[in-house]
Amino acid sequence: AKRFRGWSQEDAVAEALLRIDRSHRSPFSKPNEAEYCEAVERWAVRLRRLAGEQSSPALRLGARAQHLERGAIPRKSYPDGRDGYLRWRAAVKRRQGQRVEELLRDLVGGLGPGCAERVKGLVSKTLPLRPHICNGVRRFGATDGEEEHGDAEMQCVEDAACLVFLEQDLKEGFPEGKDDAKMIDILQKTWRKMSRLAHAEALKVDYTPRMLGCVAEAIAEAEEPSARQPSAAPTWPAPALSAATRQTLAESWKACCGATTSAGASTRDNSNGRAQEFGEAWYEELRKTSGYEEDLGKVLNFPVCRPENITKV
């Protein structure tokens, strides 16, 4: 401890990051653990910047230490089933908090008051979340004060982990062996844990055609649980496409298919160039219709509706 006495906070954070990175490559670590945590930290820093906030040392260290030595407690050491899984996860998170506390113990003076304790809370996930949707209850009308329950940095770390899952895991084998119903359930739970800021970033992720469909359905179910129950009254007026709008969509699609097919493209060709070309051609057809800006233009004005995603739908 004497060696680190008098260190600046910057030096203490740098040393802490080195120790965490070394631990990510220990015999107890899972494959790609270090790369995963670096991605979580990048997202956390980005989200705080988007929120107009600085990233505190505790946030950076807490994000970087996610999944710390996750393989130290084997899953098989607990019974099968949900109850066994939850007990195992609780034990893993508890050990991770204790482990990061050990790593930072002699750096407490340099890190600053309360920093190490906050890092432990962020890693062990003992701090409360601040999701946009809590226990299935929407908070669309909440004022800033009403929605400030929970810990902002804990929510930021959770958002970052969810975005890494959406951005990387959905492309790297996670969906294999899981049918659409299972994926929709997983994605619905993921969406409900996230803040509105993270939701906006999730709509910018480049999903595969299958996952784009699952994400869209999961969002619909998370935002409006009655969406799959036509007889149930929605909690707010749901938009419905008029017959004229459906006709516009059908006619523009038909015209677009003819134009792009003659140029060598296909609605089934999802290569980046062809998909982009088809999507842009379709939007060009839509914009020719009267009232587009006040009707479909508002519906399609989201990053997930970008031209290259049109053929995926």
Side-chain angles (χ1 to χ4, degrees), residues 25-86:
R25 293 177 171 83
S26 79
F28 296 127
S29 300
K30 292 284 191 178
N32 302 319
E33 184 176 288
E35 291 76 12
Y36 168 83
C37 294
E38 288 170 4
V40 172
E41 184 193 3
R42 282 195 300 273
W43 264 117
V45 170
R46 178 177 173 181
L47 289 168
R48 292 305 278 170
R49 186 171 65 248
L50 290 171
E53 303 285 348
Q54 293 289 328
S55 298
S56 71
L59 176 71
R60 289 190 59 204
L61 295 173
R64 188 75 153 256
Q66 293 298 298
H67 286 195
L68 187 66
E69 297 181 347
R70 199 178 189 186
I73 303 177
R75 171 65 183 92
K76 63 183 179 181
S77 61
Y78 284 81
D80 293 336
R82 179 170 174 75
D83 182 63
Y85 171 78
L86 293 176

Side-chain angles (χ1 to χ4, degrees), residues 93-103 120:
K93 287 187 286 187
R94 188 164 53 249
R95 183 195 180 277
Q96 288 170 335
Q98 293 167 348
R99 178 65 177 130
V100 79
E101 184 179 36
E102 292 174 6
L103 293 175
K120 180 182 178 181

Side-chain angles (χ1 to χ4, degrees), residues 102-135:
E102 292 174 6
L103 293 175
L104 304 183
R105 184 166 292 144
D106 57 354
L107 297 174
V108 169
L111 292 173
C115 180
E117 191 62 28
R118 264 195 83 68
V119 175
K120 180 182 178 181
L122 292 171
V123 173
S124 61
K125 293 181 168 54
T126 54
L127 301 176
L129 288 174
R130 189 194 293 175
H132 181 73
I133 298 175
C134 182
N135 297 326

Side-chain angles (χ1 to χ4, degrees), residues 184-263:
I184 290 168
D185 180 63
I186 292 170
L187 291 166
Q188 180 189 141
K189 291 172 182 174
T190 301
W191 188 262
R192 284 179 169 159
K193 291 190 292 184
M194 297 165 71
S195 69
R196 268 300 187 239
L197 180 62
H199 286 165
E201 295 305 300
L203 291 178
K204 300 175 186 177
V205 173
D206 186 23
Y207 300 102
T208 65
R210 180 193 169 205
M211 285 301 101
L212 180 61
C214 289
V215 166
E217 193 160 346
I219 293 172
E221 179 64 19
E223 296 287 352
E224 179 52 79
S226 65
R228 294 184 183 180
Q229 304 171 22
S231 60
T235 55
W236 82 88
L241 296 180
S242 66
T245 299
R246 289 199 299 272
Q247 184 178 355
T248 296
L249 290 170
E251 290 177 352
S252 61
W253 189 267
K254 183 177 179 181
C256 183
C257 286
T260 54
T261 300
S262 62

